[in-house]
Amino acid sequence: MPTQPVSPTAHVLVADDQPHVREALRLLLKGEGYAIETVASPAAVLSAVQASDFDAVLLDLNYARDTTTGREGLELVSQLQALDATLPTVVMTAWGSVEKAVEAMRRGA
C-alpha cells in the first residue's frame, strides 16, 4: 500500500514586543501543527525573513514603549513587501482603528 506524502509544516514568524503575546501565539499555533519562530523587534523581523523562508508573518504594529501609532509596524509591512511581495502578512495591534487597518492593507497586509 503506498504511503501518503507528508504535507510540509507551515513556517510562521510571530513578531511582537510583548513576550507573553509571542508565547501565547507560539503555543496556540504550535498546537495546530505550525512551525513557529518568534521575534521581538522590527530589525529581528527583517533579519528572520532574509534568513529563512516563512509561509506567513503575524506582525504587531507597535514596538517602542508607550507607542500606539502603529507607524513602526506599517513601515515594516512596506519593507516586508519589498523583500517578498508574496509573503502573507497579518497585522495585529491592541490599538487598532479602521484607518490603520486600511493603511496596513494598502501596504500589502
Side-chain angles (χ1 to χ4, degrees), residues 15-105:
D16 198 293
D17 59 317
Q18 299 294 319
H20 63 278
V21 172
R22 289 193 311 270
E23 182 62 7
L25 287 169
R26 186 189 70 76
L27 290 171
L28 176 71
L29 294 170
K30 181 181 175 189
E32 293 297 320
Y34 294 96
I36 306 302
E37 187 171 328
T38 64
V39 295
S41 70
V45 170
L46 295 174
S47 293
V49 168
Q50 290 171 332
S52 297
D53 288 327
F54 291 96
D55 296 297
V57 177
L58 298 180
L59 183 70
D60 186 22
L61 288 184
N62 297 297
Y63 293 87
R65 186 179 180 102
D66 298 325
T67 300
T68 60
T69 64
R71 197 168 313 134
E72 290 171 299
L74 292 171
E75 180 58 33
L76 192 49
V77 170
S78 296
Q79 292 171 328
L80 287 172
Q81 285 296 301
L83 287 174
D84 182 354
T86 66
L87 179 62
T89 303
V90 177
V91 297
M92 54 189 183
T93 183
W95 307 99
S97 68
V98 171
E99 292 79 15
K100 284 181 197 166
V102 169
E103 180 64 18
M105 289 171 46

